[in-house]
Amino acid sequence: MDTQVRAGRGGWSRRRVTGALAGAAAVVAVPSPAAPPADRAPVAAGARSAAPPRAEDGPRPLLLGTYTSAEGGGRGIGLASYDPATGEITGGGTLTGVADPSYLAVHPDRRTLYAVDERQDGAVTAVRLADRRILGTRGTGGAAPCHLSVHPDGRWLLSANYGSGSVAVHPIDASGALGERTDLVTHTTPPPGPGQQGPHAHQFVTGPDGGHVLAVDLGTDTVYTYRLDRAKGTLTATSQAHTRPGAGPRHLTFHPGGRFAYLADEVGDTVSVCAYDPATGRLTVGDPQSTGSGGGTNYPAQLLVTANGAYAFLANRGHNSIARYAVEADGARLRLLGTTPVGGDFPRQIAFSPDGRLLFAANQRSGTVSVFHVDTEGGGLRLAGEPFAFPVAVCALPL
């Protein structure tokens, strides 16, 4: 039986968004932070384990995602800057014209920003960073896209439609603009897990080998592996990895060694170590482990691994903390070290600065962004001053 159906659509039931989309203006608001460097070459697939760059002098750009349709939400993509030494954030305006930009990603050359438009008629938007010009918007073919990523070769944009349980591929041209969608696959089997009404694709990322892309689906308790045709932008299903029923997997991140990955289960409040075979793209999910929440109401969100592969961090929504793990046995084992209060409410997303010395946490319910200094040698986190206020902060992207 086919495990996916192409060009399928489903209902929109994403519980995180309140209010209806009221429309979007096509206005760029300035001032804006310093422009990103324009001389960066695309990142190769094998460069994931490289040492992070050293901190640059002067303020660096910080881009912030929100829900424009939520009560008290933002007007668009937040433009800010941060001090790479102190972590202090300074506001710099808003880029309007993008509806519900709840997740952001940057092209490997750092010239173009991509945002999901998390609404019923889902879309993805490209923005040229040098002058904040919107290069265009393309439909994802599904509802409520909540995640996107750029393939390391810089030619393909991958997006996950939460509401309809589908994943899409768009080509990226030399200017950074998006072309018409080249593929769309809807997850139809296995059937939805306990308490779920249908598939809910939550993440779509490239494996360390560059040839496989993996889709994490909360609704079907499955991680789907596809082979990406890098000439045509089409997907071929190769394998499925199943969590325990009702786990509700949300986010996957790879160890820089390329043989292991870590999976956060939103519904089950657990994290798992997964073995990964780069030759086949097959993922094998290990036993569930504690998030450090102590058994209270908690919904794990995003996972990060330090560039040296020694530590991992997990955002805990509800417990409102960041769980800290030591990574052992060359990536095969996680050991919980403890938790650090996030300094906000409901940390939806976390991200490292490019040099790996700062960790940013976007706290949705408190409307703040917390910044931490990262001890890459000991796995500790130290809050870098008062959190920065931003309406319904759901994504922080430091450049």
Side-chain angles (χ1 to χ4, degrees):
M1 178 183 295
D2 290 341
T3 57
Q4 293 86 22
V5 174
R6 296 187 184 273
R9 294 192 61 170
W12 188 37
S13 60
R14 186 160 170 79
R15 64 190 181 279
R16 295 163 184 79
V17 183
T18 58
L21 180 66
V27 178
V28 178
V30 289
S32 61
D39 57 351
R40 301 293 179 92
V43 179
R48 292 171 180 262
S49 60
R54 297 192 333 191
E56 300 180 46
D57 294 332
R60 302 292 305 149
L62 175 67
L63 302 163
L64 302 170
T66 185
Y67 285 117
T68 57
S69 65
E71 182 178 355
R75 295 174 51 244
I77 298 171
L79 304 173
S81 61
Y82 69 95
D83 185 318
T86 67
E88 182 180 3
I89 298 174
T90 302
T94 303
L95 171 69
T96 62
V98 184
D100 289 321
S102 65
Y103 203 87
L104 310 172
V106 70
H107 192 279
D109 66 12
R110 300 197 183 187
R111 294 186 176 97
T112 311
L113 173 72
Y114 301 96
V116 298
D117 301 17
E118 191 176 331
R119 50 184 174 171
Q120 177 65 26
D121 294 323
V124 285
T125 296
V127 179
R128 188 167 62 201
L129 285 171
D131 58 3
R132 316 304 180 199
R133 178 185 174 188
I134 295 177
L135 299 178
T137 297
R138 299 285 186 176
T140 60
C146 66
H147 183 272
L148 80 176
S149 63
V150 183
H151 188 275
D153 70 10
R155 296 181 56 202
W156 306 103
L157 183 72
L158 313 173
S159 58
N161 293 309
Y162 180 92
S164 51
S166 58
V167 291
V169 182
H170 287 83
I172 300 173
D173 69 20
S175 73
L178 299 170
E180 289 292 343
R181 190 175 61 247
T182 53
D183 211 347
L184 175 69
V185 180
T186 300
H187 302 148
T188 59
T189 59
Q196 302 295 329
Q197 301 303 310
H200 294 303
H202 218 306
Q203 185 193 30
F204 199 20
V205 293
T206 306
D209 55 285
H212 294 95
V213 291
L214 294 91
V216 180
D217 197 299
L218 181 150
T220 62
D221 296 321
T222 300
V223 181
Y224 301 83
T225 297
Y226 301 93
R227 183 174 295 281
L228 174 68
D229 186 321
R230 286 186 269 181
K232 300 177 180 178
T234 54
L235 302 171
T236 301
T238 61
S239 63
Q240 297 180 5
H242 304 292
T243 67
R244 70 193 188 285
R250 175 188 177 95
H251 186 87
L252 181 77
T253 192
F254 285 91
H255 185 271
R259 293 284 181 174
F260 297 95
Y262 312 106
L263 184 64
D265 297 322
E266 174 178 331
V267 182
D269 188 21
T270 54
V271 63
S272 302
V273 177
C274 305
Y276 181 73
D277 181 357
T280 64
R282 181 175 294 277
L283 193 76
T284 303
V285 181
D287 294 333
Q289 298 179 223
S290 172
T291 64
S293 67
T297 300
N298 186 58
Y299 305 100
Q302 190 154 6
L303 273 161
L304 298 177
V305 180
T306 55
N308 63 6
Y311 298 97
F313 301 98
L314 171 68
N316 280 323
R317 298 171 300 166
H319 192 250
N320 290 338
S321 66
I322 299 176
R324 297 174 288 105
Y325 297 89
V327 180
E328 300 174 336
D330 294 325
R333 186 168 62 239
L334 290 179
R335 177 169 56 87
L336 181 65
L337 299 175
T339 61
T340 298
V342 77
D345 189 1
F346 223 63
R348 169 74 172 271
Q349 176 262 358
I350 54 177
F352 286 133
S353 59
D355 62 10
R357 295 172 183 172
L358 297 174
L359 183 149
F360 294 75
N363 304 307
Q364 181 174 357
R365 291 179 179 170
S366 58
T368 56
V369 178
S370 302
V371 186
F372 295 86
H373 295 283
V374 180
D375 178 2
T376 57
E377 299 302 319
L381 296 174
R382 177 171 56 87
L383 192 62
E386 291 297 317
F388 176 78
F390 184 74
V392 191
V394 290
C395 187
L397 179 61
L399 302 181

